[in-house]
Amino acid sequence: MTTTYTRAEVAKHASADDNWIIIDDTVYDVSKFARFHPGGRAFIDGVAGQDATKQFYSFHRQDVLRSMAAKYAIGTIADPPTGEKAVVKLAPGELSTVPYAEPSAFQGVPSPYYDDSHRRFRRDLRAFFDTEVMPDAVANDARGVHPSKELWRKLGMRGVLACRVQSGPWLKDVVENCGVQLPSGITPEQFDPFHELIAHEESSGRLGVPGYADGMGAGLVIGLPPVLQFGEPALARRVGREVLTGEKQICLAISGPEAGSDVANVACVAKLSSCRTHYLVSGVKKWITNGVFSDYFVTAVVTKPGRKPELSLMLIERGEGVDTKPIKTSYSPAAGTAYVTFENARVPTGNVLGKIGEGFKLIMHNFNHERWYIVAGANRASRLVVEECLKWATQREVFGARLIDQPVIRNKLARLASQVEGVQAWLEAVTFAMKHTTHEEQAVKLAGPIALLKHFCTRVANDVSDEACQIFGGRAITQTGMGQVVERFQRSAKFAAILGGSEEVMADLGVRQAMRAMPNAKL
């Protein structure tokens, strides 16, 4: 049973050797902790016997109370703050009420795109990540620790992984035959592109740990669809089940150091054996997300060298002739970004995806969905930073006033919120179009808009990163403390501007696609 104290009782414990403080509605005995306080004991001793809520939130994030500080809690205060003075504490799965912290449809604004199944779906996913992932996510991201096998299995059996690939018969297969349960109990028949959009938002951008979040399946999202859609049925079923249940991991290995994203000039070569039962693959791939710990590599290879090389797509399994080394990038090694070397790696002919020579077509087929997924995660990350800025601006006081009381800060927040909402509106419109078109129709009607949407999204992310750093000041370039989410964001925001097609390529593609439909119109 929780002990209740009055403020007068707390005030009696106001010395360095006997120090009680109040934060929000909780009483803490910090007598023994004071000498271990990272900022020095003077801060602790200075608020002995007092309500230290304001001082605490000037230097610490709320999650400190849920972790390190929890063991020093001894009771609650008899007259806790009420109404607007009470600090909001969200339970696992609860959505934020900070303006613009969630898409408008999840803050009470009517929307034609979502129904109750989507709202339940988001809350259930949010609760899963709040309880199973976030307690260790920040520390794992900082240390570069990959998601554990146990977590992968949970992601698989809770249906998180299955909800991050395009809808298809594989979803029903893992539910009916592998014991996978989809979030909030939705059925495979109910699952639509908006459920998938929510799954990407909750699994990546919202978490605020870019490297660790990418370590939980970025490779799967872009690497598994070609296997499911173009692999031989038995291969697709086996690999699909293994990957979607979290037993094994997969990645997409297209880029190489010799050509980067110029997929038509890939130098990784596959030679057919004399017995014609397998290929021997040799070459290297670079910047392969999840490659460090993946079991499968969906790989672009040259099957007929020449002035116009023949490109094919193959599924290569980790084994003899396959080696991976971590690459240090600007975000956490937890993502498992790899340099992959193939030295006469043996690949059965049955592991060819589609037909020999169709590699470029299959890669292009995968790009629209990959870019859409990148936008979903990147804009949710931008939205999280907007929420961080709003919280900080209302609690940070300088020169006798809150940051939010300064017109220049309100102007910055107005620009950021409106840009993020603009990307969200376009993203949801494109998602609706995807729901009602085939892949073939999407290639014609949506390739250009998706490319321009990605360009818009990453330009917005650049603005969000820049302005958030100005709002947070020195804290935005400090890896711990109040600005840590902004610091991680500004180190990783450019990833979305490069992966899946650079901004310049996206802008050009979008306009070139538009010109294909341009009539002979005159002013």
Side-chain angles (χ1 to χ4, degrees), residues 15-290:
S15 67
D17 296 326
D18 182 20
N19 185 345
W20 290 11
I21 62 173
I22 303 166
I23 301 175
D24 297 331
D25 60 352
T26 304
V27 178
Y28 298 88
D29 182 351
V30 293
S31 307
K32 295 180 180 179
F33 169 71
R35 60 195 176 101
F36 300 111
H37 184 241
R41 70 174 302 148
F43 287 99
I44 302 291
D45 293 343
V47 292
Q50 303 173 38
D51 188 324
T53 301
K54 183 176 180 180
Q55 292 89 334
F56 174 84
Y57 284 112
S58 294
F59 299 101
H60 301 291
R61 299 179 63 88
Q62 194 178 75
D63 52 18
V64 173
L65 298 177
R66 293 190 291 266
S67 54
M68 185 173 64
K71 58 186 173 183
Y72 299 105
I74 59 173
T76 58
I77 198 69
D79 56 338
T82 58
E84 293 183 359
K85 293 184 178 180
V87 175
V88 175
K89 295 180 180 179
L90 298 179
E94 192 173 356
L95 305 192
S96 176
T97 56
V98 173
Y100 305 109
E102 309 283 357
S104 60
F106 296 87
Q107 288 198 321
V109 179
S111 168
Y113 302 129
Y114 302 98
D115 58 29
D116 285 341
S117 76
H118 298 105
R119 296 180 182 90
R120 293 193 303 271
F121 185 80
R122 188 184 291 277
R123 287 195 298 270
D124 194 34
L125 274 175
R126 182 75 57 93
F128 172 82
F129 281 100
D130 285 348
T131 56
E132 300 290 347
V133 176
M134 288 312 296
D136 303 317
V138 174
N140 287 343
D141 188 81
R143 297 199 306 268
V145 176
H146 305 147
S148 67
K149 287 289 186 181
E150 180 186 6
L151 178 56
W152 273 102
R153 287 289 291 161
K154 288 181 179 179
L155 290 166
M157 301 313 293
R158 284 292 302 272
V160 179
L161 301 180
C163 290
R164 299 192 69 194
V165 295
Q166 304 164 52
S167 181
W170 44 85
L171 192 62
K172 187 175 182 179
D173 178 53
V174 294
V175 169
E176 293 183 351
N177 299 308
C178 302
V180 170
Q181 293 184 332
L182 301 184
S184 72
I186 67 166
T187 66
E189 292 74 21
Q190 289 176 298
F191 185 81
D192 68 16
F194 284 98
H195 291 103
E196 186 189 347
L197 170 61
I198 293 168
H200 293 316
E201 290 176 337
E202 295 295 317
S203 301
S204 55
R206 190 197 74 87
L207 302 182
V209 281
Y212 191 70
D214 275 2
M216 288 187 293
L220 172 150
V221 177
I222 59 178
L224 185 58
V227 179
L228 298 175
Q229 295 169 348
F230 305 114
E232 292 185 356
L235 178 73
R237 186 181 307 110
R238 172 174 66 86
V239 175
R241 289 179 177 182
E242 291 174 337
V243 172
L244 293 178
T245 57
E247 291 181 7
K248 291 190 176 182
Q249 282 72 56
I250 194 169
C251 64
L252 184 68
I254 303 296
S255 299
E258 70 289 326
S261 297
D262 182 5
V263 296
N265 286 303
V266 165
C268 192
V269 177
K271 295 181 180 180
L272 184 63
S273 65
S274 57
C275 61
R276 308 184 71 82
T277 61
H278 63 272
Y279 288 87
L280 294 176
V281 176
S282 295
V284 295
K285 299 293 181 180
K286 194 174 183 180
W287 306 291
I288 307 306
T289 307
N290 296 174

Side-chain angles (χ1 to χ4, degrees), residues 470-491:
Q470 297 307 114
I471 291 171
F472 271 82
R475 290 170 174 81
I477 53 174
T478 305
Q479 292 188 4
T480 57
M482 305 299 281
Q484 60 180 271
V485 171
V486 176
E487 191 277 334
R488 289 192 291 269
F489 180 80
Q490 57 93 12
R491 266 193 293 123

Side-chain angles (χ1 to χ4, degrees), residues 228-472:
L228 298 175
Q229 295 169 348
F230 305 114
E232 292 185 356
L235 178 73
R237 186 181 307 110
R238 172 174 66 86
V239 175
R241 289 179 177 182
E242 291 174 337
V243 172
L244 293 178
T245 57
E247 291 181 7
K248 291 190 176 182
Q249 282 72 56
I250 194 169
C251 64
L252 184 68
I254 303 296
S255 299
E258 70 289 326
S261 297
D262 182 5
V263 296
N265 286 303
V266 165
C268 192
V269 177
K271 295 181 180 180
L272 184 63
S273 65
S274 57
C275 61
R276 308 184 71 82
T277 61
H278 63 272
Y279 288 87
L280 294 176
V281 176
S282 295
V284 295
K285 299 293 181 180
K286 194 174 183 180
W287 306 291
I288 307 306
T289 307
N290 296 174
V292 168
F293 50 79
S294 280
D295 303 285
Y296 296 112
F297 303 81
V298 174
T299 309
V301 298
V302 173
T303 43
K304 184 184 291 183
R307 204 160 60 92
K308 291 185 177 181
E310 177 185 78
L311 195 67
S312 301
L313 205 60
M314 296 182 178
L315 178 71
I316 301 178
E317 302 186 37
R318 185 182 287 273
E320 186 177 354
V322 179
D323 183 61
T324 57
K325 296 181 177 67
I327 295 176
K328 291 183 179 180
T329 66
S330 57
Y331 74 174
S332 174
T337 308
Y339 186 89
V340 184
T341 303
F342 301 112
E343 293 185 1
N344 290 321
R346 188 184 177 101
V347 183
T349 54
N351 281 29
V352 173
L353 304 178
K355 298 178 180 178
I356 288 294
E358 289 187 336
F360 188 80
K361 183 178 77 171
L362 302 189
I363 293 168
M364 293 301 106
H365 182 280
N366 204 40
F367 260 144
N368 280 341
H369 185 268
E370 177 182 351
R371 290 164 182 164
W372 171 82
Y373 142 71
I374 289 173
V375 172
N379 199 54
R380 190 58 185 83
S382 292
R383 184 180 294 279
L384 175 66
V385 172
V386 171
E387 179 184 12
E388 293 278 308
C389 289
L390 282 162
K391 289 179 178 178
W392 180 240
T394 53
Q395 74 187 71
R396 172 63 169 161
E397 292 186 6
V398 289
F399 306 114
R402 300 177 305 166
L403 282 178
I404 197 67
D405 297 323
Q406 305 295 334
V408 66
I409 298 297
R410 295 198 298 272
N411 182 268
K412 290 178 184 292
L413 291 170
R415 286 184 58 244
L416 300 189
S418 59
Q419 286 179 296
V420 168
E421 289 298 325
V423 175
Q424 187 74 31
W426 196 358
L427 173 61
E428 290 175 348
V430 166
T431 304
F432 180 80
M434 290 170 61
K435 182 178 179 179
H436 295 282
T437 52
T438 64
H439 275 291
E440 290 72 22
E441 291 171 324
Q442 290 172 26
V444 175
K445 298 178 180 179
L446 296 182
I450 289 174
L452 293 180
L453 172 58
K454 182 176 180 293
H455 175 269
F456 178 34
C457 173
T458 56
R459 283 289 83 205
V460 167
N462 188 74
D463 287 348
V464 170
S465 174
D466 185 52
E467 295 289 24
C469 284
Q470 297 307 114
I471 291 171
F472 271 82

